[in-house]
Amino acid sequence: MTACAIEGGTTTGDDETAEPEPDPGDPAGAAGTGPAEGARAPGAVVAAAPAETVLPPFVLTADGAYGARLTAAPAPGPDTAWYAERWTLDGPEPYAVPLPTDQPEEAEAQVLPLADGRVLIRRRVAERHTFSLLYPTGPGTGELLLGAVERDALTLLPPSPDGVSAYALAVGEYSTELWRVAGGASGPEHIADLPGRCSGGVWLDRAGRLLALDREPAGGGPVKTVAVDLGRGAEMTPLLQIAPDSDDRLLLADPDSGLLLIRSDAPGHDRLGWGVLGSCLPVRFPECLRLPDRTVAPVAVQPGQMLMPESCAVALRIDGAAGSRLGLWRPSGRRLHQLAAPGGWLAGSGIWSRDGVLKLPYADGDTACAVALLEMPAEAEPACDGSGTQPSAAPMTPPVCTPVPLGQAPLVGRTAPD
């Protein structure tokens, strides 16, 4: 994709606008009156009330087989006692396994599930960050200490698609340290010093080799996404530049289709857009994803849609004053479907199956571990423009900029799924 032009503007037609919020005074749209639109019978009740997410983040493995989070022990007293919990989601029924240790965890600890069912935990101990693997051992919890890193701040990246490795960033004033904290030969391993201040973290392939990071230059300047090739000594390559002075961040990527979900202020203010890795078409900023006074963030992209990025179903989290809602959208559909989120939806997490079923983990007051299943609502065919194409937003005059072809990124890791 040559990310130098912008398509956006105002769309027209009923299927190009976001569905309105339900009227609180309308019994048909009131919370708690029935399942969300497009929901399937999942074997677990889906609550229709919008969900407030106040718990620590819930993290899924790349394949969605396991999840992990910190949860509060039901103990009396003013202080919350936290412990790690692993969810198994690839069986006929989801179930949770508590992983408490001798001491309660701090709320700022981070957990990350691995493909073998163990859970990596990062703890802050004085000036060090320690890393351990937790696993169930009969009635107790086993713990394997991996080592420690002495840094002021260190943050885990999303789970690697290889299911074995785990990486972390330590951001300094002029550079960012990349660490492999699990999956190495012996304990935490310093991989590279990356120039600039890096954040984010999106995997571009299924081998765990190509990592996209949002990089701010050391001396200040616009944020641009770069690709880091872990197979070539953390070689860094420009990945996304929409306009010279715009902040362009990659939020989510699908390795199968190459669909990218992007946030940029190139249109004049922050907008959610999409593009295709390796395509010559410009980034598009659909008007239906622009919701005043609400924040829209992608949660999951449907995998397995080889050569068909426009047909990928995308789940989004919509946060506003009334709480969180679920958005379902396809680039080709030009319409955002807004649904009530399951009560207790865990930190906006979710994963699509290849056949288009969305799995949303949740834990409400009645259910400690459950998954709601939804499907993409049916859509009318959007009207074609004069060229016979079906863009997801009306075109606008692009800004003058220097293109950075995404096809030049080291995409050797992109292969067809098994």
Side-chain angles (χ1 to χ4, degrees):
M1 177 176 67
T2 303
C4 65
I6 302 174
E7 294 195 1
T10 304
T11 56
T12 58
D14 292 341
D15 62 344
E16 299 163 8
T17 58
E19 293 182 347
E21 294 277 359
D23 183 355
D26 180 4
T33 57
E37 176 189 352
R40 292 174 43 166
V45 176
V46 180
E52 292 285 353
T53 302
V54 295
L55 297 175
F58 181 82
V59 183
L60 288 165
T61 55
D63 61 1
Y66 291 102
R69 65 165 180 163
L70 290 180
T71 190
D79 298 328
T80 301
W82 299 97
Y83 64 89
E85 183 180 73
R86 187 200 72 193
W87 287 34
T88 300
L89 303 171
D90 60 348
E93 294 267 345
Y95 64 93
V97 176
L99 297 172
T101 57
D102 295 337
Q103 297 290 330
E105 308 294 347
E106 299 290 337
E108 59 267 23
Q110 285 184 282
V111 293
L112 187 149
L114 302 180
D116 61 4
R118 295 183 294 179
V119 173
L120 175 72
I121 185 167
R122 179 201 62 82
R123 303 182 178 104
R124 180 68 180 259
V125 181
E127 300 301 321
R128 300 185 305 158
H129 301 265
T130 65
F131 299 90
S132 296
L133 292 175
L134 306 180
Y135 52 92
T137 56
T141 300
E143 179 170 359
L144 174 63
L145 180 63
L146 299 179
V149 176
E150 292 190 14
R151 293 295 182 272
D152 290 336
L154 190 141
T155 305
L156 288 176
L157 290 172
S160 170
D162 68 6
V164 176
S165 304
Y167 295 86
L169 296 179
V171 181
E173 186 175 358
Y174 300 106
S175 64
T176 301
E177 296 180 358
L178 176 63
W179 288 79
R180 178 163 53 207
V181 297
S186 59
E189 175 187 1
H190 178 257
I191 300 298
D193 285 311
L194 306 175
R197 299 172 59 84
C198 297
S199 59
V202 175
W203 294 98
L204 300 175
D205 66 338
R206 297 205 178 277
R209 171 174 173 173
L210 300 175
L211 173 66
L213 296 172
D214 300 326
R215 174 182 173 271
E216 179 186 0
V223 176
K224 303 293 182 185
T225 301
V226 296
V228 178
D229 190 339
L230 301 180
R232 296 182 180 178
E235 178 182 274
M236 183 182 291
T237 306
L239 184 67
L240 181 63
Q241 177 173 296
I242 301 178
D245 298 326
S246 60
D247 289 329
D248 309 319
R249 293 178 170 86
L250 181 62
L251 304 181
L252 208 59
D254 173 52
D256 297 335
S257 64
L259 179 65
L260 305 178
L261 279 302
I262 297 161
R263 186 174 299 283
S264 174
D265 59 4
H269 51 274
D270 265 352
R271 293 281 297 272
L272 187 62
W274 68 280
V276 180
L277 199 60
S279 171
C280 294
L281 295 176
V283 174
R284 299 174 184 235
F285 294 89
E287 191 68 19
C288 66
L289 300 183
R290 181 184 179 186
L291 303 182
D293 302 322
R294 282 173 284 179
T295 302
V296 182
V299 171
V301 178
Q302 181 184 1
Q305 308 302 298
M306 300 296 293
L307 306 178
M308 297 187 298
E310 294 88 355
S311 67
C312 291
V314 180
L316 305 108
R317 176 175 173 173
I318 304 170
D319 289 322
S324 297
R325 291 180 63 80
L326 174 69
L328 298 180
W329 167 79
R330 279 194 179 98
S332 63
R334 306 178 70 180
R335 183 177 185 181
L336 175 63
H337 300 270
Q338 294 191 44
L339 315 177
W345 183 22
L346 295 178
S349 60
I351 192 166
W352 288 95
S353 68
R354 293 180 180 271
D355 57 356
V357 177
L358 177 62
K359 300 179 181 180
L360 298 177
Y362 71 94
D364 56 22
D366 300 322
T367 307
C369 174
V371 175
L373 304 183
L374 292 91
E375 289 182 334
M376 188 75 186
E379 297 181 293
E381 286 294 326
C384 297
D385 60 20
S387 64
T389 62
Q390 297 176 351
S392 185
M396 62 179 286
T397 303
V400 178
C401 63
T402 302
V404 176
L406 297 186
Q408 294 179 3
L411 302 179
V412 294
R414 282 191 62 201
T415 58
D418 296 334

